[in-house]
Amino acid sequence: QKFNLMKEVSDSLAGHSLILDQGYFCDSGLLSFLLGVSIENLNDSPFKGQIWETLVFAELRKINYTAKTPVNFWFYRDQTAREIDFVVEKGGVISLAECKWTENPQPSDIKTIRSIDTELRKREGPYRAGEHYLICNSAGTYPLSPGIEVVSLDRLNTNWD
């Protein structure tokens, strides 16, 4: 399978969602080739963020396929254009995950996670807020803010299995 559609989370998460599909290539190498991106020009490419998100999506699918208890995951976009790359739900607990092509994440990288987390914690409903993640090409895993952890791609499987 070369392409996958991921549904948007229902409006019960934060009350503002639109009904959309988000398309992802399942192979970041094929996507890079089609975009003319190579290892030599990746850092200068305007597509590096999308390629990174595609790679993370492929890893999440792989982890989910082999997990003892698979998770549900979607993307989120509301009417004010706030987006979360991945909303991960397991047992009624929602974790938000953003993908950023950076080795040095900044607090500004988690602004949307904080905003939606605040709304999620205020709402009555079937979901409760869990830990949230900034997935980037940093070394290792560490807290960036209370309840929000920086996770490198090689440590991703330890957070959802």
Side-chain angles (χ1 to χ4, degrees), residues 16 25-26 37 45 57 63 78 85 112 114 129 140 151 153 158:
H16 303 290
F25 272 84
C26 296
V37 177
S45 172
F57 174 71
I63 291 165
D78 68 13
D85 295 327
T112 304
R114 283 185 180 158
V151 179
L153 192 61
T158 62

Side-chain angles (χ1 to χ4, degrees), residues 27-95:
D27 184 334
S28 59
L30 175 61
L31 176 61
S32 298
F33 173 78
L34 293 172
L35 293 171
V37 177
S38 67
I39 194 69
E40 291 82 21
N41 65 5
L42 177 62
N43 282 327
D44 297 325
S45 172
F47 302 113
K48 65 186 169 201
Q50 290 91 341
I51 293 169
W52 178 251
E53 188 175 330
T54 298
L55 178 61
V56 170
F57 174 71
E59 288 299 306
L60 282 173
R61 286 184 67 220
K62 183 171 53 175
I63 291 165
N64 208 35
Y65 181 75
T66 60
K68 294 174 195 153
T69 309
V71 299
N72 297 305
F73 58 97
W74 307 277
F75 80 104
Y76 177 84
R77 181 182 306 140
D78 68 13
Q79 294 171 341
T80 62
R82 293 181 307 173
E83 292 186 7
I84 294 291
D85 295 327
F86 301 105
V87 175
V88 180
E89 184 271 330
K90 185 174 184 177
V93 176
I94 295 288
S95 294

Side-chain angles (χ1 to χ4, degrees), residues 88-127:
V88 180
E89 184 271 330
K90 185 174 184 177
V93 176
I94 295 288
S95 294
L96 308 174
E98 278 286 287
C99 303
K100 299 291 181 188
W101 178 261
T102 182
E103 292 179 12
N104 302 303
Q106 302 298 312
S108 61
D109 293 329
I110 56 173
K111 179 181 173 185
T112 304
I113 290 177
R114 283 185 180 158
S115 174
I116 294 173
D117 175 70
T118 299
E119 290 179 23
L120 182 59
R121 290 180 189 281
K122 289 179 183 176
R123 287 181 57 90
E124 298 285 328
Y127 303 116

Side-chain angles (χ1 to χ4, degrees), residues 8-19 74-76 127:
E8 182 151 353
V9 69
S10 72
D11 65 357
S12 62
L13 176 61
H16 303 290
S17 74
L18 305 170
I19 305 302
W74 307 277
F75 80 104
Y76 177 84
Y127 303 116

